[in-house]
Amino acid sequence: MTAVTSTADPAAAVEVLAAARSVTVLCHVQPDADTVGSGLALAQVLHRRGVPVQVSFAEPSELPVSMRSLPGAEHLVPPDRVAAQVDLLVTVDCGSAGRLGTLADRIDGAATTLVIDHHRSNTCFGTLNLIDATAESTTSVLARVFDAWGEEIDRDIAHCLYAGLVTDTGCFRWGGPGTHLLADRLLATGIDGAGITRTLMDTHPFGWLSMLSRVLGSARLEPEAAGGAGLVYAFVRADDAGAVRSEEVESVIDVVRTTAEADVAAVFKQSRRESDRWMVSLRSRDSGVGTGDAVDVAAVATRLGGGGHRYAAGYTTDGAAEELVAALIEVLDGSH
């Protein structure tokens, strides 16, 4: 299959969606509310149009607890039940085929692959690629798709779209022009915005507190890194995580990044299965209001084998802890 040049115009995506006779929607591994919200919103639209649809992700084995209240979860299937052959395969919020994990092989069994995303670093691995790097979330890209398609955004679909919007903007910290207009439109359907936000971002089990205390004890500050912007980092080792869910581990970066002395934050999360493998979350911020001088962590992550957005990105790497920090600092220093 020949890849089509990426576009931010939803018309071509609507054309392939409207013609599809069967659809698989794939979310990325270690799913967040943007990828799952996108997948379930799209599945609900396809289902009411009478199109057979499956939604899945490769790992973890179950949907994170914080997302189990999202409407449309009945369309989720385990990865081993994802059809090998399908008319249309859609990936949502996946910057590369590698983000599909073990389900990347389903691309070969699809007549057409549609990639819907908002990551600037997207590798455009689909037959058709709808990429809008200016969009706050993949759910906001889908909102435009539904509008172009003439499909109503009802309360259940709005719930899913809002979940992605509120999480990917950090409770609207990183919203741009139009962000609050979309939020207002979704809230007008009657969804409980406060409840959705609380469930997704402000609810943790008691064990999260003890895990957090151990992890924050590992935090270190490198004030001269990134050309003086500063780096703060911490490690979440497998022993620290214990029985805490993966979604609780993912939330650590939101605490570490609040450090005033560093404009770049990193959290290294050790794989529970491979001790030398680490998933790294990166965040950056401007040095002041309106300065626009944040380190582009998407570029940093891309050089280290990952990708993302200017202010939020990530990558996976292997090695000893000291080597990982040194490699990150080297790339950060080289970016200035």
Side-chain angles (χ1 to χ4, degrees), residues 104-331:
D105 62 0
R106 297 306 197 275
I107 293 175
D108 293 335
T112 304
T113 300
L114 169 62
V115 173
I116 303 177
D117 191 22
H118 70 131
H119 292 92
R120 190 184 64 209
S121 58
N122 193 288
T123 61
C124 296
F125 57 96
T127 313
L128 176 65
N129 303 282
L130 174 60
I131 316 296
D132 185 354
T134 67
E136 307 89 338
S137 65
T138 297
T139 58
S140 66
V141 178
L142 268 176
R144 292 196 297 109
V145 170
F146 296 154
D147 287 344
W149 203 355
E151 287 291 338
E152 178 193 1
I153 296 177
D154 61 20
R155 182 172 178 169
D156 283 351
I157 293 171
H159 185 146
C160 292
L161 297 181
Y162 189 84
L165 183 65
V166 73
T167 52
D168 259 33
T169 59
C171 289
F172 303 104
R173 293 184 185 93
W174 309 300
T179 303
H180 293 284
L181 290 175
L182 176 57
D184 183 65
R185 177 185 174 190
L186 299 176
L187 290 167
T189 65
I191 60 173
D192 179 4
I196 293 169
T197 303
R198 183 173 59 252
T199 300
L200 290 170
M201 307 186 74
D202 294 329
T203 303
H204 301 286
F206 181 74
W208 179 74
L209 295 176
S210 56
M211 181 273 289
L212 195 61
S213 68
R214 293 191 298 271
V215 168
L216 294 183
S218 75
R220 297 292 182 270
L221 178 66
E222 299 284 347
E224 301 307 315
L231 167 70
V232 60
Y233 65 88
F235 284 85
V236 182
R237 302 181 186 276
D239 289 344
D240 295 325
V244 172
R245 303 174 310 224
S246 60
E247 58 199 284
E248 316 303 341
V249 173
E250 293 300 318
S251 71
V252 172
I253 187 65
D254 292 321
V255 179
V256 174
R257 67 175 178 79
T258 62
T259 303
E261 295 88 348
D263 290 340
V264 180
V267 172
F268 298 83
K269 299 160 289 185
Q270 187 178 34
S271 168
R272 299 180 196 239
R273 292 177 294 186
E274 302 175 60
S275 60
D276 286 339
R277 172 147 290 198
W278 301 81
M279 285 66 71
V280 188
S281 295
L282 300 176
R283 299 291 185 270
S284 69
R285 66 183 177 208
D286 296 333
S287 62
V289 177
T291 58
D293 59 355
V295 173
D296 186 348
V297 289
V300 172
T302 298
R303 286 193 57 189
L304 292 165
H309 313 286
R310 179 176 185 179
Y311 296 98
Y315 61 97
T316 299
T317 187
D318 297 280
E322 299 78 12
E323 298 170 349
L324 305 184
V325 174
L328 174 58
I329 291 176
E330 181 179 2
V331 175

Side-chain angles (χ1 to χ4, degrees), residues 25 27 32-48 53 55 63-76 139 142 146 153-164 186 189-193 195-197 199-200:
V25 184
C27 306
D32 58 14
D34 193 25
T35 191
V36 173
S38 296
L40 297 183
L42 181 55
Q44 290 177 78
V45 170
L46 290 165
H47 177 71
R48 75 187 182 196
V53 58
V55 183
L63 183 67
V65 173
S66 63
M67 300 177 214
R68 292 182 186 174
S69 60
L70 292 178
E74 65 273 14
H75 299 296
L76 284 166
T139 58
L142 268 176
F146 296 154
I153 296 177
D154 61 20
R155 182 172 178 169
D156 283 351
I157 293 171
H159 185 146
C160 292
L161 297 181
Y162 189 84
L186 299 176
T189 65
I191 60 173
D192 179 4
I196 293 169
T197 303
T199 300
L200 290 170

